Amino acid sequence: MAVMTAVAFLVVLGYGFARTGLDGLSNPSQGAARERSVDGVVLAKDRVSEPQGSSSTRIEVRFTTDAGTSYRFWEAGDANIGDTIPVHYEPGRPETASTHSVTSNSIMFGILAVSGLALVLLMPLLVLRLGLESLRHVGQAIRKRSAVG
């Protein structure tokens, strides 16, 4: 029963991944048309410990919107303090700021969609395979008992 629960969870998770990825890919040109790009300045750089002993670098970036308001955000990156880098955001939503363009976001959405579809399609096939394998073992056990008796 625990196996079925885990498989069901992975299928639902896969559906969520696929849906999010496909929604993100639905109209990237529309996102690009809305996106604003401005120069940002790297204010700080930090190393973050990750699971299994690895680490990654993140940077703090400050940018000013077209309206003249200054914002800061942290994001994975490897630029040096003082570097000027492009920042992309949706007008009226500076919290969407990223150093990644719509194109790089589209690649990530594509990976997410493919991963989700793989989970949705492969998990039921795995259950089918396990079920058939179990039936084969049951059949072998019955034949052994019949041969002994």
Side-chain angles (χ1 to χ4, degrees):
M1 190 62 167
V3 172
M4 292 302 290
T5 302
V7 168
F9 172 76
L10 289 173
V11 168
V12 170
L13 187 67
Y15 174 78
F17 285 176
R19 180 67 189 217
T20 301
L22 293 173
D23 285 348
L25 289 172
S26 65
N27 200 346
S29 61
Q30 190 177 45
R34 287 191 319 256
E35 186 177 81
R36 294 280 188 264
S37 295
V38 296
D39 285 338
V41 177
V42 178
L43 301 175
K45 190 173 186 176
D46 190 20
R47 275 198 119 23
V48 179
S49 296
E50 303 215 355
Q52 300 175 352
S54 64
S55 66
S56 64
T57 306
R58 64 184 190 136
I59 55 175
E60 182 182 20
V61 180
R62 181 184 66 219
F63 71 101
T64 303
T65 65
D66 293 339
T69 308
S70 182
Y71 290 92
R72 295 178 178 201
F73 66 97
W74 284 91
E75 184 172 77
D78 199 28
N80 294 315
I81 296 173
D83 284 356
T84 300
I85 58 174
V87 173
H88 312 282
Y89 70 96
E90 288 183 38
R93 297 185 57 211
E95 69 277 4
T96 64
S98 174
T99 59
H100 305 291
S101 68
V102 170
T103 302
S104 63
N105 289 340
S106 293
I107 291 168
M108 294 309 295
F109 281 126
I111 291 169
L112 193 61
V114 168
S115 300
L117 290 172
L119 282 173
V120 168
L121 296 174
L122 295 178
M123 285 300 108
L125 291 176
L126 177 63
V127 169
L128 181 63
R129 169 75 191 239
L130 291 174
L132 291 173
E133 196 70 23
S134 295
L135 286 175
R136 188 174 65 83
H137 288 296
V138 168
Q140 287 175 346
I142 291 171
R143 281 192 293 280
K144 283 183 184 179
R145 280 195 180 165
S146 297
V148 171

